[in-house]
Amino acid sequence: KNQVEQSPQSLIILEGKNCTLQCNYTVSPFSNLRWYKQDTGRGPVSLTIMTFSENTKSNGRYTATLDADTKQSSLHITASQLSDSASYICVVSGGMDTGRRALTFGSGTRLQVQP
Amino acid sequence: EAQVTQNPRYLITVTGKKLTVTCSQNMNHEYMSWYRQDPGLGLRQIYYSMNVEVTDKGDVPEGYKVSRKEKRNFPLILESPSPNQTSLYFCASSKSPRGRDGYTFGSGTRLTVV
């Protein structure tokens, strides 16, 4: 069964600090992995996409890594800002089906940045 | 601006009263999908559509219907809503199911069934 597990479930950090969110997946075959940011009550917005051959990708203060061998990804946020407070969702594309379950969603990490 | 538009944003209704949540995209995407999001469960797929007149069940289709008569629209229909359908709903579209170019999500519809 395809699964995506994220940790921690929630995280509180002080403004200016760094943090790392984790994502482990069992989706096979693997196509790509995206990190989405979801502000409260809003739709998810894509931050980065990782394909099988990519190890690291940055988008401003966000850096995603992928280890396809261990099936793990991380999202590192540098110099956090209050606006980083949101849920971060790891979404893995792949599996045998091209319609249903083309995406497997993690349940997200809720990040709260405090002043 | 490329976007997925959902309406309404908020809806409170009573058990059994039919309702429709509309979804429209302006990116000429073939693939569209509906999700519900509940605390601690993440996003779960309700129905998806590969193209016009092609729809299929996702993981939690019970109590929902959809239609895809035009490429841009993908309404979600609750024929007889029940309290367990109280949730946050998202419509999304992409060029392909695997979302190589990413999924665009609507802003969500918060539905409360009393």
Side-chain angles (χ1 to χ4, degrees):
Chain A
K1 180 182 178 183
N2 292 333
Q3 284 188 314
V4 175
E5 294 185 355
Q6 292 187 242
S7 62
Q9 278 191 325
S10 62
L11 182 62
I12 301 174
I13 62 173
L14 293 177
E15 188 178 10
K17 297 296 186 182
N18 304 335
C19 67
T20 300
L21 314 180
Q22 300 289 344
C23 172
N24 297 337
Y25 62 92
T26 59
V27 178
S28 181
F30 173 84
S31 178
N32 62 72
L33 182 150
R34 277 186 184 268
W35 284 93
Y36 283 83
K37 178 185 179 186
Q38 184 179 21
D39 293 314
T40 302
R42 310 292 296 184
V45 176
S46 178
L47 291 173
T48 67
I49 179 173
M50 307 289 289
T51 57
F52 187 85
S53 58
E54 295 172 311
N55 299 119
T56 304
K57 185 172 285 187
S58 292
N59 177 5
R61 294 180 296 103
Y62 301 102
T63 299
T65 66
L66 175 67
D67 185 334
D69 291 330
T70 61
K71 297 186 177 180
Q72 295 180 327
S73 177
S74 66
L75 181 69
H76 185 75
I77 304 175
T78 304
S80 61
Q81 300 176 357
L82 297 178
S83 59
D84 292 331
S85 295
S87 288
Y88 292 84
I89 303 173
C90 177
V91 184
V92 181
S93 172
M96 302 302 292
D97 200 329
T98 56
R100 179 179 175 182
R101 300 201 184 109
L103 299 184
T104 304
F105 291 83
S107 56
T109 292
R110 180 172 293 278
L111 173 66
Q112 185 177 346
V113 180
Q114 293 184 340
Chain B
E1 179 188 355
Q3 60 185 356
V4 174
T5 303
Q6 286 180 237
N7 280 297
R9 288 292 314 277
Y10 302 92
L11 179 60
I12 301 175
T13 190
V14 296
T15 299
K17 185 177 181 181
K18 181 180 179 180
L19 66 91
T20 299
V21 184
T22 63
C23 173
S24 180
Q25 51 96 359
N26 62 359
M27 296 162 283
N28 201 36
H29 285 166
E30 292 189 348
Y31 186 83
M32 297 185 75
S33 186
W34 274 103
Y35 301 89
R36 61 177 288 173
Q37 187 176 36
D38 302 290
L41 294 180
L43 285 148
R44 293 182 292 167
Q45 190 181 53
I46 303 171
Y47 268 94
Y48 66 93
S49 171
M50 302 285 271
N51 211 327
V52 175
E53 301 291 2
V54 181
T55 63
D56 206 347
K57 298 177 181 179
D59 291 321
V60 288
E62 294 78 20
Y64 305 95
K65 285 175 57 177
V66 293
S67 69
R68 188 94 181 270
K69 293 183 170 59
E70 307 164 281
K71 199 171 189 178
R72 63 184 292 124
N73 295 323
F74 190 44
L76 179 69
I77 303 157
L78 284 73
E79 294 271 2
S80 182
S82 61
N84 64 12
Q85 291 178 299
T86 293
S87 186
L88 181 58
Y89 291 86
F90 289 101
C91 178
S93 74
S94 69
K95 287 183 181 178
S96 67
R98 294 289 167 88
R100 182 68 176 89
D101 297 307
Y103 274 50
T104 301
F105 286 84
S107 296
T109 296
R110 185 168 293 280
L111 172 65
T112 302
V113 183
V114 297

